[in-house]
Amino acid sequence: MAKTASRNLTTGSPTRLVIGFLLPLLGGLLFQQLYNMVDTLLVGRFLGMDALAGVGSTSSVNFLVLGFCIGICNGFVIPVAQKFGEGDEAELRRFVANSIWLSAAFAVVLTVATALLCTPVLRWMNTPDIIFRYAYDYIFVIFLGIPAIILYNLVSGVIRSLGDSRTPIYFLVLSSLLNVALDLLAVAVLGMGVEGPAWATVISQAISGLLCLAIMGKRYPVLRFRPGELRPSRTHITRLFAIGVPMGLQYSVTAIGTIVVQTAVNGLGAVSIAAVTAANKVSQLFTCPFDAAGMAVYGGQNYGAMKLDRIHRGVRACVLLMFAYSALGLGVLALFGGKLSLLFLDSAESAAVRNQIGLLAQQFLVWNASCYFLLTLVNVLRFLIQGVGFTQQAVFAGVFETIARCFVGFAVVRWIGYTAICLANPAAWLLADCFLVPIYFHDMHILQRRFA
């Protein structure tokens, strides 16, 4: 079993490999969204609309920080995938070892900094006083769990870079079920506030990461370190920093735009905040396939093996698959989006409030789903470009997304109100595609000359 746990993505049918790698990853993302949705559902059902709005108002700053953590971990494993494709096992282990040292340093710095800055950031975002306490109690606990977030994403990323997208999912499913149980215990039994679901999320993520770490050395012989390979190396740390930080900044730069949009939503009142919060939870569930369609590992392994034709074929297969899903997602959300959003509200809320929130959430979901084909290109091309070594370019894609969202948040909301909030994501995806599509062909031309 140990010898077959990793998977080589440089041979065989690209379409079959893309689907085979995507499906387990999608399963994990769906379970991850499951326990995120349970958090929100329990908060809305048991603690009321103000608590739901408070938790929802933290989503953008949550994405800013945790997105950076996820991004740097995804960047750290790109050299691992490339060395696996090359067959250089010694260098692969050195990159894994130095990514551990670098991740530990980031975990300490980010945890301390974010815990101290919670209050100033929430004030800057114009968080209404009526929901401020809920927002602070939730996000403070989430930030204390940054080491657990980094642990899981780094370890699972290393395993995926070896072509195994299944193993991390088993433990994520287990932790998701544990999270649901802890949510119910904290809120329904112990009567805790919004900090209860936050602690449940952190504990579940930590358990998932520790379980992945426990089996990593046993199941993957290539990761069994030799004497001296665990020592920090300036050369490897520099390379990892140069790849990981731009990928982290890509998420953070994108999150700046979402913070601007969230600030605009906060100015529209608690009903709009609750509607966007509920709609975002439904949307995050439906956009999981696009997140799973990231081609970084596939691109990294085939880059290491210098198989450019397989990169093209894999991209084409993934894009066509996601276009088909986009049409399906639009149909489902157009019919049931508003009703799904109301699941997150307390049934004790007045019928008028529920109807208003349902209509606003439906409007948000339909606008976003109608542009899922744009999101397909953003995710597939951006992660593919990162996987073949052009990580800095992904930051520029994030900059274009931020420009679009900032324009909507600062200007368009004043003209057309809530409808502008619905247009923020489609505008961001469109502007990012205007950069990513031509840069993809430009980068492939560069690789063609390099491989020749």
Side-chain angles (χ1 to χ4, degrees):
M1 180 181 292
K3 293 183 179 180
T4 59
S6 57
R7 187 178 188 183
N8 194 324
L9 302 178
T10 64
T11 59
S13 166
T15 301
R16 192 171 301 169
L17 287 171
V18 166
I19 295 175
F21 190 80
L22 182 151
L23 288 178
L25 189 58
L26 173 59
L29 289 170
L30 288 173
F31 269 94
Q32 197 167 26
Q33 289 303 323
L34 169 65
Y35 68 68
N36 287 335
M37 290 179 69
V38 168
D39 284 350
T40 307
L41 190 148
L42 289 176
V43 168
R45 288 278 183 172
F46 285 90
L47 302 179
M49 187 184 72
D50 288 341
L52 175 64
V55 171
S57 69
T58 68
S59 60
S60 54
V61 69
N62 193 337
F63 178 47
L64 173 69
V65 177
L66 300 190
F68 180 80
C69 297
I70 295 170
I72 59 173
C73 292
N74 289 340
F76 290 163
V77 301
I78 283 178
V80 178
Q82 293 174 348
K83 293 303 175 184
F84 184 80
E86 292 177 19
D88 191 343
E89 295 183 357
E91 279 294 285
L92 182 154
R93 287 189 293 271
R94 291 189 184 97
F95 275 115
V96 172
N98 283 276
S99 67
I100 294 172
W101 291 110
L102 203 52
S103 297
F106 272 111
V108 173
V109 172
L110 289 172
T111 301
V112 173
T114 53
L116 293 175
L117 292 173
C118 276
T119 297
V121 169
L122 291 175
R123 290 296 184 194
W124 177 81
M125 290 178 61
N126 195 31
T127 306
D129 290 338
I130 193 173
I131 65 173
F132 185 89
R133 191 72 236 175
Y134 296 116
Y136 178 86
D137 289 347
Y138 183 81
I139 200 64
F140 182 76
V141 174
I142 293 295
F143 286 163
L144 290 181
I146 284 176
I149 303 294
I150 290 180
L151 171 65
Y152 172 75
N153 283 280
L154 178 65
V155 177
S156 63
V158 169
I159 294 175
R160 282 196 301 271
S161 70
L162 304 181
D164 181 5
S165 60
R166 295 178 180 272
T167 299
I169 306 310
Y170 299 144
F171 299 110
L172 185 58
V173 169
L174 176 62
S175 70
S176 299
L177 298 176
L178 176 62
N179 186 90
V180 172
L182 291 175
D183 278 336
L184 291 170
L185 175 65
V187 177
V189 178
L190 299 180
M192 296 177 68
V194 293
E195 69 277 7
W199 278 118
T201 298
V202 170
I203 293 171
S204 301
Q205 193 93 57
I207 290 175
S208 183
L210 290 171
L211 289 173
C212 282
L213 183 63
I215 69 147
M216 191 169 68
K218 295 181 179 179
R219 192 173 185 187
Y220 308 93
V222 69
L223 296 177
R224 294 171 187 169
F225 295 101
R226 310 298 190 264
E229 291 179 342
L230 277 170
R231 284 199 303 265
S233 163
R234 179 180 299 180
T235 301
H236 293 84
I237 287 178
T238 301
R239 173 85 188 281
L240 289 166
F241 194 89
I243 295 177
V245 171
M247 287 191 66
L249 290 176
Q250 164 206 313
Y251 284 89
S252 295
V253 168
T254 303
I256 292 173
T258 65
I259 289 176
V260 171
V261 174
Q262 183 64 55
T263 303
V265 175
N266 290 348
L268 298 177
V271 171
S272 294
I273 298 173
V276 173
T277 299
N280 268 324
K281 290 301 179 183
V282 175
S283 181
Q284 287 166 10
L285 182 66
F286 276 79
T287 55
C288 279
F290 302 106
D291 295 328
M295 300 282 286
V297 173
Y298 178 88
Q301 285 197 17
N302 283 281
Y303 170 84
M306 295 190 295
K307 295 184 177 181
L308 188 61
D309 61 317
R310 290 182 57 80
I311 295 177
H312 283 304
R313 291 161 60 194
V315 168
R316 182 169 60 249
C318 196
V319 167
L320 291 176
L321 183 65
M322 289 299 99
F323 276 1
Y325 170 76
S326 298
L328 176 64
L330 173 59
V332 173
L333 289 175
L335 292 173
F336 307 109
K339 295 178 181 178
L340 291 173
S341 300
L342 291 178
L343 294 175
F344 297 96
L345 292 180
D346 185 354
S347 57
E349 296 288 349
S350 68
V353 171
R354 289 176 60 85
N355 289 337
Q356 186 178 4
I357 290 176
L359 290 173
L360 292 175
Q362 174 81 0
Q363 183 182 355
F364 181 94
L365 289 168
V366 170
W367 272 110
N368 279 257
S370 64
C371 296
Y372 277 170
F373 69 97
L374 297 174
L375 179 59
T376 293
L377 297 176
V378 171
N379 277 18
V380 172
L381 298 184
R382 178 164 56 194
F383 285 104
L384 187 280
I385 288 170
Q386 292 168 346
V388 299
F390 298 97
T391 54
Q392 291 82 359
Q393 294 174 353
V395 179
F396 290 102
V399 169
F400 281 105
E401 287 192 69
T402 298
I403 291 172
R405 288 193 174 96
C406 286
F407 176 72
V408 171
F410 284 127
V412 183
V413 171
R414 298 180 182 178
W415 302 337
I416 57 177
Y418 181 83
T419 302
I421 304 299
C422 304
L423 297 174
N425 285 333
W429 301 335
L430 176 61
L431 202 57
D433 283 339
C434 290
F435 169 78
L436 286 168
V437 172
I439 208 68
Y440 164 74
F441 289 104
H442 174 265
D443 290 345
M444 293 302 103
H445 181 65
I446 290 177
L447 293 183
Q448 187 175 23
R449 289 187 299 173
R450 183 183 300 172
F451 292 165

